[in-house]
């Protein structure tokens, strides 16, 4: 018995459709599993603290390392992207003078492996430098790299390194010479995640509603 070409084409097309639907289901399942894994491992909000050092960048005499600390808050946009604000206190020393400064920074952070315990981090943004001694401020930008390791669920330890560039060099004591200042900050910190359980439950309920709705429609 000879199978008509139209029947062969029908079965071939049907096989492709079934394979495509199965692949889509597997991808959807993987996305859902990863989403739940992210909320179990991390969360939607982050309290950020860190301690480390700071130094001015460039060819200066008698430059030294100073103390650096930060506290901040971040909010997830997607599992890969967070935005946040940090308050930073730090000291830079050069030309036999120490400058005690603060900055308030807004940054966007890219978490490269959000579903894994270990992930590289890249971030950047803008901020304002202020002096703790006189009424002075200057706009700056920052870019940083780092790594994070989740020691337990919702708690990550991170190591980071940050380059800062000041757009203004006219206000003492934010300057050392007549060049726009560049300085480095580096530290060890902790990320405390929260809000993941609530978001997970919300998404589970949404999925159950969609499933129930589809069953009723059918």
């Amino acid at each position: 018995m000879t199978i008509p070409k139209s029947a062969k084409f029908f079965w071939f097309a049907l096989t492709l459709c079934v394979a495509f639907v199965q692949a889509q289901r597997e991808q959807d399942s993987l996305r859902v599993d990863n989403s739940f894994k992210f909320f179990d491992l991390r969360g939607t909000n982050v309290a950020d603290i860190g301690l480390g050092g700071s130094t001015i960048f460039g060819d200066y005499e008698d430059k030294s390392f100073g103390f650096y600390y930060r506290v901040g808050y971040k909010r997830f946009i997607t599992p890969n992207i967070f935005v946040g604000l940090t308050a930073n206190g730090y000291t830079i020393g050069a030309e036999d003078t120490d400058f005690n400064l603060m900055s308030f920074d807004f940054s966007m952070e890219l978490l490269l492996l959000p579903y894994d315990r270990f992930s590289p981090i890249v971030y950047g943004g803008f901020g304002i430098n202020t002096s703790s001694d006189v009424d002075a401020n200057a706009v700056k930008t920052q870019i940083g790299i780092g790594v994070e390791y989740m020691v337990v669920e919702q708690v990550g330890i991170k190591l980071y390194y940050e380059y800062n560039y000041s757009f203004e060099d006219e206000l003492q004591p934010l300057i050392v010479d007549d060049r726009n200042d560049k300085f480095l900050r580096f530290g060890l910190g902790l990320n405390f995640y929260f809000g993941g359980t609530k978001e997970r439950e919300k998404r589970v309920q949404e999925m159950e509603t969609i499933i129930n709705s589809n069953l009723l429609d059918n």
Side-chain angles (χ1 to χ4, degrees):
M1 179 179 178
T2 303
I3 300 176
K5 290 183 178 180
S6 58
K8 290 182 179 179
F9 177 78
F10 171 78
W11 285 111
F12 176 72
L14 182 60
T15 301
L16 286 180
C17 289
V18 170
F20 176 76
V21 170
Q22 184 64 28
Q24 286 296 111
R25 286 180 176 177
E26 290 177 356
Q27 290 181 5
D28 291 342
S29 176
L30 181 61
R31 281 194 291 268
V32 170
D33 290 344
N34 279 341
S35 176
F36 289 161
K37 184 177 180 180
F38 171 79
F39 295 124
D40 289 337
L41 182 62
R42 290 184 167 87
T44 56
N45 303 275
V46 189
D48 171 12
I49 63 173
L51 296 173
S54 56
T55 184
I56 197 152
F57 182 79
D59 186 17
Y60 297 98
E61 294 183 1
D62 302 322
K63 63 181 180 181
S64 60
F65 288 95
F67 181 68
Y68 161 62
Y69 66 89
R70 65 183 280 170
V71 294
Y73 167 81
K74 293 180 289 188
R75 169 72 181 177
F76 102 121
I77 303 300
T78 71
N80 292 93
I81 299 174
F82 286 77
V83 294
L85 295 169
T86 58
N88 308 267
Y90 62 102
T91 301
I92 54 176
E95 310 295 339
D96 297 322
T97 304
D98 289 333
F99 301 98
N100 297 310
L101 306 172
M102 291 192 68
S103 74
F104 299 93
D105 302 342
F106 171 82
S107 293
M108 178 174 288
E109 179 178 298
L110 178 63
L111 195 63
L112 298 182
L113 300 172
Y115 309 113
D116 297 340
R117 285 190 174 273
F118 177 84
S119 177
I121 298 169
V122 180
Y123 64 93
F126 294 88
I128 298 177
N129 269 335
T130 66
S131 168
S132 60
D133 299 321
V134 298
D135 184 15
N137 59 77
V139 177
K140 71 175 186 69
T141 186
Q142 69 275 349
I143 184 169
I145 57 173
V147 292
E148 178 189 59
Y149 178 74
M150 302 299 295
V151 291
V152 295
E153 281 72 16
Q154 284 82 55
V155 179
I157 186 170
K158 62 179 179 178
L159 182 68
Y160 56 95
Y161 181 87
E162 181 183 290
Y163 172 84
N164 293 257
Y165 179 84
S166 178
F167 291 112
E168 301 176 45
D169 200 25
E170 301 173 353
L171 302 174
Q172 291 287 358
L174 302 183
I175 62 172
V176 177
D177 55 22
D178 59 357
R179 292 176 291 179
N180 285 0
D181 289 325
K182 300 172 284 291
F183 55 95
L184 305 175
R185 300 192 299 209
F186 51 90
L188 183 68
L190 291 173
N191 284 333
F192 296 96
Y193 290 85
F194 58 98
T197 301
K198 183 177 180 180
E199 184 65 22
R200 188 186 196 281
E201 292 175 352
K202 176 183 175 183
R203 297 198 178 196
V204 168
Q205 291 175 357
E206 290 175 350
M207 286 181 59
E208 291 175 347
T209 300
I210 292 172
I211 292 172
N212 293 334
S213 176
N214 290 335
L215 290 174
L216 291 173
D217 291 340
N218 292 331

